Amino acid sequence: MSSLPPSIIDKDDLWFLEVVSELRTCLSMLLGPEVALALNLRRGHGLSFEALHEKLVSLSERDLIQVYSVENEQQVMLACEDFGRALAESRPRGSDTFAYQLTARGGATWEHYARPDWSRYLTAWSSLEPRECVIEANSREAAEAEYRLHEVDGSGHQPVAESKRGEALVPWQATYWKVLPTGYRLRYDWVPRPAGFSGRKPLPGRKRWYVSLALDE
C-alpha cells in the first residue's frame, strides 16, 4: 500500500471510490435520476448536478481520482471549469465522452477502508467472436473452481473441455490500478448449449471480497 489515506474522508467520498474499485466509470453513468439503476447498485450518490461537480473537484484535488477523456485518455486538468465542461458534455445514457478512475492514492485509500481479500478476487468474461471465455484469479485452483461452475451453470455457453488452457501471470494486473505478484489466467472455447439443457440456474452472486461501506445502504 502506498501513502496513508487522507484524514478527512466521508461516506460520500467512499461511494465514488468504491464505484471504480474494479472498473473505470463514465461520467454519463453518474448523471440522471436513475444512477443506482444505471450502475446496478442499491443506491446512487444523491447529489445535484452542482454538488456532483463539487464532489468530483474535491476528490481530484485530494488526488483520489482522475477524470479523463475517453477518446484520448488524457487527464482533465484540475481547474473547476474543466470538470464543469466534462459534466456538461456528458449525458445520461449518452455517449461516453469522459470517465473517472482511481489514482494510486485513491486505490490505497479504498483498500484502507474496504480491507479487500485479493486472494478471493477473480474476473470472468466471455466474447462472441471468437467464442471464448477468460477467467483470471489469484491461483490456478481458484480459476479451476470457477471453471467447474461454468460447466454446470444455466447460461447458454457450454465449455469445450479440450480447449481449456491456462497460464501463470507474473505479475498479475488484477484491476486497472492494482498489480499483484502472481495470478492465473484460464481460457476456454464455448459452444451454444443444446436445446433443453437442464443445468443449474445462473451463477449466484459471489460473496463480496471486500467490506462495502458505501453502496449497500
Side-chain angles (χ1 to χ4, degrees):
M1 190 177 296
S2 61
S3 57
L4 290 176
S7 57
I8 301 176
I9 190 166
D10 58 29
K11 216 160 191 178
D12 284 341
D13 293 335
L14 288 172
W15 188 95
F16 286 89
L17 301 188
E18 193 168 328
V19 164
V20 288
S21 59
E22 294 185 70
L23 299 172
R24 302 170 173 94
T25 294
C26 292
L27 295 188
S28 59
M29 303 287 282
L30 302 178
L31 300 171
E34 299 181 336
V35 175
L37 180 62
L39 292 170
N40 193 29
L41 302 174
R42 292 187 181 179
R43 75 174 183 94
H45 51 67
L47 302 177
S48 66
F49 184 91
E50 293 74 17
L52 174 61
H53 179 197
E54 293 177 2
K55 176 62 70 176
L56 292 176
V57 170
S58 172
L59 291 169
S60 179
E61 288 179 340
R62 285 177 283 159
D63 191 29
L64 298 176
I65 66 166
Q66 293 175 335
V67 175
Y68 64 94
S69 166
V70 171
E71 182 178 359
N72 56 26
E73 296 191 359
Q74 294 299 308
Q75 181 182 350
V76 175
M77 294 176 63
L78 299 182
C80 187
E81 58 268 22
D82 287 329
F83 282 85
R85 177 174 62 86
L87 282 172
E89 293 182 12
S90 300
R91 295 289 184 274
R93 302 182 183 276
S95 59
D96 297 331
T97 307
F98 293 94
Y100 85 101
Q101 64 184 18
L102 292 176
T103 62
R105 185 177 181 85
T109 300
W110 177 79
E111 286 190 279
H112 175 83
Y113 291 97
R115 302 192 298 278
D117 180 356
W118 290 103
S119 69
R120 294 175 44 229
Y121 178 72
L122 63 82
T123 62
W125 66 93
S126 60
S127 60
L128 295 176
E129 188 58 46
R131 289 177 173 175
E132 182 183 62
C133 184
V134 180
I135 300 169
E136 289 190 5
N138 180 262
S139 65
R140 178 173 182 174
E141 292 74 18
E144 291 282 359
E146 178 71 9
Y147 172 79
R148 289 192 292 273
L149 290 177
H150 290 203
E151 288 185 303
V152 297
D153 72 16
S155 75
H157 297 176
Q158 176 174 300
V160 179
E162 57 268 26
S163 72
K164 188 172 65 170
R165 61 270 189 200
E167 61 178 315
L169 302 174
V170 183
W172 176 30
Q173 185 78 47
T175 71
Y176 68 92
W177 62 272
K178 183 68 176 183
V179 178
L180 296 172
T182 60
Y184 191 82
R185 178 184 293 139
L186 190 155
R187 299 177 182 269
Y188 67 81
D189 299 333
W190 63 267
V191 296
R193 292 196 189 276
F197 170 76
S198 179
R200 297 181 183 175
K201 294 180 180 180
L203 294 177
R206 299 182 183 88
K207 185 178 180 181
R208 186 170 278 143
W209 49 281
Y210 61 87
V211 178
S212 177
L213 302 173
L215 301 183
D216 291 342
E217 294 180 341

